[in-house]
Each structure stands twice: as C-alpha cells, then as structure tokens.
Amino acid sequence: MKQKRKMTLLGKQSAAGWIFLTPATILIAVMAFWPMIQAFIMSLQTGSSANMQWAEPIFNNYKRMFADKLFLTSVGNTFLYLIIQVPIMLILAILLAQLLNNRDLRLKGFFRTCVFLPCATSLVSYSLIFKSLFATDGLVNTILVNLGILQENYNFLGNSLSAKVVIIIALIWRWTGYNMVFYLAGLQNIEYSVYEAAKIDGANGWKTFWGITVPLLKPTIIMTFIMSINGTLQLFDESVNLTNGGPANATITMSHYIYNNSLGQGVANFGYATAMSFFVFIIVAILAFINMKVGDTRD
C-alpha cells in the first residue's frame, strides 16, 4: 500500500513537471524549430519571393555558396575578427573583473559602471561614433598628427587592414564590459577564504589567479566564449554602419553579405541567402559543441 502511494506521488510530480514544461516546449517548437524547418526548405529553392521553385540540382544554392568568392571573403573576414577579437576581449574582461573585485578598491561601483557603460550604447550609435573618430578629419587623426606620430591625416577606413583593425577595436570597446559582468558575478561566488588560504600558503597573485580564479570560473569562461563566438559569427552592425563592408568589400561579414542578398541590394534572393544562413548556423553549432565538450570536466 505504501509503495502504491509512493508511485502515485511520483506520478503526480512527473505530471506537474510536464504541465510546466509543455507551454515552453510548444513555444520553442513554434517560434524556433518550425521556422528553422521552413528556412531549410527555402534554402533548397530559388527564384523571387513571389515565385519560389525547387533548385536544380536540389543543393544548388549550397554548391553556389562555396564557389562564391565574395562569400568566402566574408567568411575569412568574420573568422579573422573572431580569432583576434574574442580572446583579447575575454582576457581583458577577466582581468578587469579581477581588479574590480578587490575588496580594498575604492569607488568600485563607479569603475564598474564606466567599464560597462559602452554596453548601454546603441550598436548603430557606437558604430557611427567610431566612424567619426577614425575619419580622415576625425579626432584620432588630429591627435596623431599633433603628436607627430603621423605626418598627415591617414584614411583608416579606406585601407583594408586598418579598417579591420578599427572594427576589432570597436568590438573590444563595446563588448568587454558585457563579459566582465559575468566574470564579476562568478568571482563574487568564490569564497574569499579560499584566496586567504592560498596567501597563507605563499601563493602570489599570479599563481592564485591561474590556480584558483581561472579553474573556478571555467563554466563562466565557456559560456562567454560560446556567446562571443555566436555573436561574432553573426556580426552585422559594425560592417554595415562603420565601413559599409569596404573598402571594396574588404571588411564585409557573413551576415552583411546575407543581408545584401536578401534585402540590402533589392535582390530578394531568399533561397541563396537562407542557404548561407544555414551555413552560419551549422558553424555556430559545431563550435559551441566543441567548446562544451572541451570544457566538460565530468567523469
């Protein structure tokens, strides 16, 4: 009799769990998975939006994608931003979080606000601000010429290499504070007694950082790394508003090129644009899976 009551209670708990999960599951299926299925079907089609038909051969859009030199350029640019910007940004975020987590630091709230403040800036606004700063007659050129570093004004956004550097600097400025907040929250969950014990044992700041802080922040580091990869692979605003993909498409990103093929240039080639979008989705999923497997320390 007792066993029967126990099973009944477990059954009720299970039913309650499914009742709470069902609305969210339905919403995710309707708002996320169903559009993904429709998008995949569209990626196998060609033609204008009013007259879509199956491509011949069926995977022609994907074949075309890997033969498109401009798309391959956009892939290379995006991964260049990813490889350079993400590690620098996350390292700066961890170091700033460590500094601003110091108990003895005065005006911690002020400094934290200053570092996080760029995140409150609109993506379009900050892109236009950086475009103005690095213009030929902008503030950066004025300062460098007055200091004697440059002999004459330099066209930062007109040179492919310097334009990419400007985008990377802008991304670091915009997103470092955002990631710092996650690390700061993780640091505040670490007992201060752990650091005191390490100090008593003779560990210096560098050893404490690598031996205690980094291992305990590993889940947070993995999460921010995955989010940063996801965000960088979908980079759009900086390419559009800061350089407009120029000069000569030297800074164009995958999302910018997808936009140009769907809406940006009046082409409305939704089938081809959707195929490229699926390519981005697959890359994000693979990199996220690799990061999760590498960071999984469970037995």
Side-chain angles (χ1 to χ4, degrees), residues 24 45 66 72 96 152 195 224 232 242 246 261:
Q45 297 176 334
F66 291 107
L72 296 178
L96 286 169
E152 58 183 10
Y195 292 107
T224 54
T232 306
L242 187 53
N261 276 273

Side-chain angles (χ1 to χ4, degrees), residues 16-17 57 83 86 118-120 201 204 242 244 251 267 273 275 282 286:
I83 293 169
V86 171
C119 301
D201 289 338
N204 57 27
L242 187 53
N244 197 26
T251 60
V267 180
I282 291 170
I286 291 172

Side-chain angles (χ1 to χ4, degrees), residues 34-47 52-66 258 269-282:
W34 177 242
M36 285 169 59
I37 294 170
Q38 288 184 311
F40 179 70
I41 294 171
M42 185 179 290
S43 72
L44 303 177
Q45 297 176 334
T46 188
M52 298 291 289
Q53 54 188 331
W54 297 107
E56 294 181 5
I58 196 70
F59 291 103
N60 184 60
N61 286 328
Y62 292 93
K63 182 180 178 181
R64 174 187 170 186
M65 179 175 63
F66 291 107
I258 291 168
N269 195 345
F270 293 129
Y272 184 46
T274 307
M276 291 187 287
S277 299
F278 251 86
F279 175 76
V280 176
F281 166 73
I282 291 170

Side-chain angles (χ1 to χ4, degrees), residues 30 104 113 118 130 134 139 148 178 183 198 214 235 240 277 296:
V30 173
D104 301 324
T113 303
F130 268 82
F134 286 92
L139 180 62
Y178 177 80
Y183 295 135
V214 172
L235 193 63
V240 173
S277 299
D296 191 356

Side-chain angles (χ1 to χ4, degrees), residues 69 78 94 97 118 162 167 223 242 245 297:
K69 292 182 179 180
T78 305
I94 294 175
S162 59
I167 290 178
M223 180 192 71
L242 187 53
T297 57

Side-chain angles (χ1 to χ4, degrees), residues 94 98 143 145 151 158 218 273 283:
I94 294 175
Q98 182 76 5
I143 293 173
V145 170
Q151 297 298 320
K218 193 173 183 180
I283 292 176

Side-chain angles (χ1 to χ4, degrees), residues 83-95:
I83 293 169
I84 297 176
Q85 175 256 335
V86 171
I88 295 174
M89 176 185 65
L90 295 183
I91 291 171
L92 283 175
I94 294 175
L95 294 176

Side-chain angles (χ1 to χ4, degrees), residues 127-277:
S127 298
L128 294 177
I129 289 170
F130 268 82
K131 185 175 183 178
S132 176
L133 286 173
F134 286 92
T136 307
D137 56 349
L139 180 62
V140 174
N141 264 307
T142 302
I143 293 173
L144 293 177
V145 170
N146 289 336
L147 291 175
I149 297 174
L150 294 178
Q151 297 298 320
E152 58 183 10
N153 290 1
Y154 182 76
N155 188 3
F156 286 100
L157 301 178
N159 180 278
S160 60
L161 179 60
S162 59
K164 291 175 183 176
V165 172
V166 171
I167 290 178
I168 291 171
I169 293 171
L171 289 169
I172 293 171
W173 180 85
R174 177 64 170 77
W175 295 106
T176 298
Y178 177 80
N179 290 284
M180 182 206 70
V181 171
F182 290 103
Y183 295 135
L184 196 57
L187 287 170
Q188 290 174 354
N189 288 324
I190 301 174
E191 291 292 337
Y192 195 74
S193 58
V194 178
Y195 292 107
E196 290 177 337
K199 189 175 181 180
I200 292 171
D201 289 338
N204 57 27
W206 188 249
K207 288 182 179 178
T208 302
F209 177 75
W210 281 107
I212 297 175
T213 303
V214 172
L216 292 178
L217 279 180
K218 193 173 183 180
T220 308
I221 292 172
I222 293 170
M223 180 192 71
T224 54
F225 198 67
I226 292 172
M227 290 195 305
S228 299
I229 289 173
N230 188 12
T232 306
L233 289 178
Q234 299 179 64
L235 193 63
F236 176 77
D237 293 89
E238 292 78 7
S239 176
V240 173
N241 298 304
L242 187 53
T243 63
N244 197 26
N249 294 313
T251 60
I252 194 170
T253 61
M254 290 189 288
S255 294
H256 189 178
Y257 188 57
I258 291 168
Y259 171 77
N260 287 344
N261 276 273
S262 57
L263 300 170
Q265 296 177 339
V267 180
N269 195 345
F270 293 129
Y272 184 46
T274 307
M276 291 187 287
S277 299

